[in-house]
Amino acid sequence: MQVNKKAVNDGLDILVRYMAPYVSKVLRSYDRDQWWNNVLYVVRFPDQLPQSGTFEELAGSLDAACCFTLIIRRWQDVFKHNLDYNCRTWVNELVGVRNAASHTGYQDMEQPYAERGLDTMALFCKYINPKGAAEIRKIYKEVRARADKPTVTYAGAAQPKTASARGPLTKGSLLQKVGTDAVQKTTLTRKVTYGGKTEIYPVYKVKLDELYYNDQNDRIATWISRYEAENGADSLSSLDTEGFNEIIEGFIIDSNSDAISKTKKNIELVGQREPGVTLADGRIVDGNRRFTCLRKIQEETDEPIYFETVLMDVDINEDKKQIKLLELAIQHGEEKKVDYDLIDYAIGTYRDIELTGLLTAEEYAASANESVAEVKKRISVAKMVTEFLEYIHLPEQYYVAREYQVYSLFQEMMAPLKQLSEEDQERLKTVVFNNAMMKALPDQRKFIRDIKGMVKNGTYKDYFDDQAILAEELSEEYDQVEVHSRFDVDQFAEENASITEEMQTSLENALQHTRAEVLKARPSANVRKCTGLLQEIDDRVIAKMEDKEKEKLRKELDDLTAAISNLTEALDD
């Protein structure tokens, strides 16, 4: 018998009896004659509601799900002015209670969860109608009286034991603040796979000022390199937590302002839908964008804003490898949320596998749900990026490569490189690096396509020779310049625009030469094709042909003979 589920549904019926007219009246006072049209626009299944009717008929058609949706999605512009902020938290919780109560499974709802749901309903209803709250409280007491043992407040899943190599964190842990204003446990959970083991973690609400961005994140690392290049190697680490967060927040917004704006609007409408993953010291492993949006929302209100997240009692230093595997699985494996700049992604891969040896290519591929070949290709491009930065005298300033947008250029360059000797490989790199640095590539895709064509046709050597002369001239000039930033490189390119023009002219001449060579080679190529096709003819088939078919073949051979005769005469002239 599903007595607890029935009690919760009875409580929801009482709540809806008072909530539906309250929600309708508030919306009508704000939206006037358009209030019902706006309701139909906001709710999930508008076809299940009447399209018109009296106010009482329309209000009476709203069920719990509709009311909860309307309060959540119209919170910022309507209900925050009529309800206490706690009401928003209670409504979000009641969405889960309502879903659990409406589930058609045969199992009854657990006693503590039923009590918690009814208690939350009574707390929320008190703000709408105290009479309704009293009715719900009566059902709550009946459920409590049926318990076989003293009840406890429902607290969700238990916190898994620490999996850190350093053991439990006893100082500065957010887990020690659970139950305070800073950290509150919710009834939500999230599965997390860490160290090869999947566990269900409880989700907590954490005040924003207890958290900070993960500076180890690949998406952030190249921006940090820029900041430290401009402000000094220790400039970021010397800041306090809020100062650090403000700088990183700016990086995240600049990297994709449209996505931030979209996510912020979504959170304002329906709240944070996906919990993050945070280390117990406050470092956010997953959820930097959501955290950024919540910070921006916090600036617009005096009400405290919380970030919903699991808390993992692990350490960035002791457990760095497992944390990186976790981050990869979340960002690129489980949810395929990759919207990284490809330079950031490539450099992160290169750093974790080649520079620090933190992961093997196989470990990286498994966590990111990629093939080992994909990972190795990305490392090859990252190495090319590194060479390019060293070539322009800005080693490890990876943000410069991102600003030049050379990832696709270097990625496409890998194919022709494999077809060249070691000497010509180095010459091709010099050609591409110089043209990128001097902004001689108005269309990178066409440029690399032209290079591929010359390599395929074997007409690249003269072009490489011409570019080598220009490279020598450019090197003499560039070696005299003190390069500290991309500004210095761009200024050099502007001051030496004549070399850029010569580079572009050199390519145009090489392409004209290639086209001429291809045209000259085409007759021989066509003859080779014809010869090959003729050699494929099985003469035993001819013996089986009808007289009419043989006559047709003879005529075509005569035409072919005449064509060969004309070409032979042209060669003799």
Side-chain angles (χ1 to χ4, degrees):
M1 236 182 123
Q2 299 178 336
V3 291
N4 291 330
K5 191 177 287 187
K6 181 180 183 305
V8 169
N9 279 316
D10 288 345
L12 285 168
D13 289 342
I14 295 171
L15 178 62
V16 171
R17 193 192 318 149
Y18 295 98
M19 179 170 57
Y22 170 80
V23 168
S24 299
K25 288 177 183 177
V26 171
L27 290 175
R28 186 174 65 172
S29 70
Y30 275 82
D31 297 338
R32 305 291 181 181
D33 294 340
Q34 291 299 311
W35 80 275
W36 189 249
N37 288 334
N38 291 340
V39 167
L40 296 176
Y41 177 77
V42 169
V43 297
R44 187 174 180 184
F45 300 108
D47 293 341
Q48 297 179 9
L49 296 175
Q51 301 301 301
S52 61
T54 66
F55 175 79
E56 289 73 18
E57 289 171 341
L58 297 177
S61 68
L62 296 176
D63 61 11
C66 289
C67 291
F68 294 154
T69 299
L70 289 164
I71 292 172
I72 292 170
R73 297 195 66 181
R74 297 295 302 276
W75 178 262
Q76 287 296 327
D77 63 328
V78 177
F79 289 99
K80 69 179 290 185
H81 306 297
N82 295 269
L83 294 170
D84 184 270
Y85 186 78
N86 286 324
C87 292
R88 185 183 188 185
T89 302
W90 291 330
V91 167
N92 278 308
E93 181 180 329
L94 289 175
V95 171
V97 173
R98 180 261 173 195
N99 292 340
S102 62
H103 194 274
T104 57
Y106 64 87
Q107 290 184 333
D108 196 12
M109 188 177 289
E110 292 183 0
Q111 180 83 19
Y113 191 24
E115 289 184 29
R116 171 63 180 258
L118 287 163
D119 183 49
T120 302
M121 286 181 221
L123 290 169
F124 173 57
C125 194
K126 188 175 180 181
Y127 278 87
I128 296 173
N129 189 301
K131 180 182 177 182
E135 293 179 39
I136 296 172
R137 187 65 67 185
K138 182 179 179 181
I139 298 175
Y140 166 77
K141 291 178 180 179
E142 291 173 356
V143 172
R144 286 201 66 180
R146 286 198 300 266
D148 296 328
K149 55 186 179 180
T151 60
V152 294
T153 301
Y154 179 74
Q159 176 73 24
K161 293 182 180 179
T162 179
S164 175
R166 57 138 168 80
L169 178 62
T170 57
K171 185 177 180 181
S173 172
L174 291 177
L175 290 168
Q176 292 182 326
K177 299 182 180 181
V178 175
T180 69
D181 183 56
V183 184
Q184 301 171 19
K185 196 173 185 180
T186 75
T187 58
L188 303 174
T189 59
R190 175 175 175 175
K191 285 184 179 180
V192 178
T193 300
Y194 179 82
K197 184 179 180 182
T198 300
E199 294 198 69
I200 297 176
Y201 282 77
V203 172
Y204 301 88
K205 296 194 311 177
V206 183
K207 287 189 75 171
L208 301 187
D209 58 7
E210 298 283 343
L211 304 167
Y212 66 98
Y213 290 103
N214 179 21
D215 57 356
Q216 304 294 318
N217 183 285
D218 294 341
R219 199 174 346 206
I220 294 173
T222 55
W223 291 90
I224 289 177
S225 71
R226 174 181 178 176
Y227 184 84
E228 292 183 338
E230 295 173 349
N231 298 278
D234 299 324
S235 54
L236 203 56
S237 59
S238 64
L239 298 173
D240 60 17
T241 300
E242 181 53 30
F244 172 86
N245 280 345
E246 286 181 2
I247 297 297
I248 303 301
E249 177 187 281
F251 296 161
I252 292 176
I253 293 173
D254 289 344
S255 68
N256 197 334
S257 58
D258 290 340
I260 291 293
S261 177
K262 182 178 179 181
T263 303
K264 179 174 177 287
K265 289 179 181 177
N266 186 260
I267 291 176
E268 288 174 331
L269 282 173
V270 300
Q272 182 187 337
R273 300 181 67 178
E274 179 67 23
V277 175
T278 303
L279 305 191
D281 67 351
R283 181 189 295 265
I284 297 174
V285 175
D286 173 50
N288 285 314
R289 179 179 294 168
R290 281 158 280 169
F291 178 54
T292 300
C293 294
L294 290 168
R295 281 174 55 85
K296 301 310 291 181
I297 294 171
Q298 181 70 85
E299 293 176 2
E300 301 168 4
T301 178
D302 295 329
E303 299 169 349
I305 301 292
Y306 291 82
F307 179 60
E308 294 181 355
T309 180
V310 306
L311 295 176
M312 300 190 64
D313 191 13
V314 292
D315 185 85
I316 192 65
N317 295 313
E318 295 290 340
D319 312 299
K320 191 170 186 178
K321 178 175 180 177
Q322 292 301 330
I323 292 171
K324 172 55 70 171
L325 291 173
L326 169 64
E327 184 180 352
L328 289 173
I330 292 171
Q331 298 295 338
H332 307 293
E334 294 175 2
E335 303 168 26
K336 279 295 178 187
K337 296 188 293 187
V338 180
D339 57 359
Y340 280 20
D341 184 284
L342 291 173
I343 291 287
D344 296 342
Y345 193 21
I347 295 304
T349 307
Y350 172 61
R351 181 176 56 246
D352 292 334
I353 296 175
E354 295 284 329
L355 297 184
T356 66
L358 183 65
L359 303 175
T360 66
E362 289 73 18
E363 288 172 329
Y364 197 107
S367 288
N369 195 24
E370 296 178 306
S371 68
V372 175
E374 287 178 301
V375 172
K376 290 183 176 179
K377 285 179 182 177
R378 195 161 58 250
I379 291 173
S380 296
V381 178
K383 288 180 176 178
M384 193 68 62
V385 170
T386 302
E387 285 188 52
F388 171 66
L389 293 174
E390 291 173 352
Y391 186 83
I392 64 174
H393 303 174
L394 292 173
E396 298 184 10
Q397 295 189 29
Y398 296 109
Y399 70 91
V400 174
R402 183 181 58 237
E403 291 173 355
Y404 273 113
Q405 297 183 328
V406 291
Y407 185 90
S408 296
L409 176 67
F410 293 162
Q411 184 182 44
E412 292 298 318
M413 194 173 79
M414 296 301 165
L417 274 175
K418 293 177 181 178
Q419 302 174 46
L420 299 173
S421 65
E422 288 187 14
E423 179 184 354
D424 284 341
Q425 285 180 359
E426 293 304 315
R427 298 214 302 165
L428 175 56
K429 288 180 187 179
T430 301
V431 168
V432 175
F433 291 170
N434 283 338
N435 278 266
M437 179 181 76
M438 299 299 290
K439 301 181 181 179
L441 310 177
D443 188 336
Q444 290 186 359
R445 290 176 298 179
K446 182 179 182 304
F447 173 78
I448 204 66
R449 191 167 60 241
D450 292 338
I451 295 289
K452 288 180 178 179
M454 285 189 282
V455 170
K456 179 181 177 181
N457 295 312
T459 58
Y460 64 88
K461 290 188 178 292
D462 288 344
Y463 173 64
F464 282 9
D465 289 341
D466 286 344
Q467 291 283 312
I469 295 171
L470 294 172
E472 186 174 349
E473 179 184 350
L474 184 124
S475 178
E476 290 178 1
E477 296 292 332
Y478 197 64
D479 286 343
Q480 300 176 34
V481 176
E482 286 191 22
V483 181
H484 302 287
S485 67
R486 182 188 168 180
F487 174 81
D488 299 320
V489 183
D490 290 345
Q491 187 174 40
F492 175 83
E494 290 177 11
E495 293 173 353
N496 293 273
S498 59
I499 299 180
T500 301
E501 292 175 4
E502 290 183 61
M503 286 179 170
Q504 293 173 329
T505 300
S506 170
L507 178 60
E508 292 170 6
N509 292 338
L511 292 176
Q512 289 179 359
H513 174 70
T514 296
R515 285 191 285 269
E517 291 297 315
V518 168
L519 285 173
K520 286 189 290 184
R522 188 167 295 167
S524 294
N526 289 341
V527 169
R528 281 196 301 274
K529 289 179 184 178
C530 290
T531 302
L533 291 171
L534 288 171
Q535 290 173 342
E536 289 178 5
I537 297 175
D538 187 349
D539 55 9
R540 289 174 296 180
V541 175
I542 297 176
K544 299 177 183 179
M545 294 172 65
E546 301 289 338
D547 290 343
K548 182 186 256 186
E549 293 171 331
K550 288 181 178 179
E551 186 61 31
K552 182 179 179 182
L553 177 59
R554 185 175 286 106
K555 182 178 183 309
E556 289 169 344
L557 287 172
D558 289 341
D559 291 341
L560 179 60
T561 302
I564 293 172
S565 178
N566 289 336
L567 288 174
T568 303
E569 289 178 5
L571 287 171
D572 293 339
D573 288 346

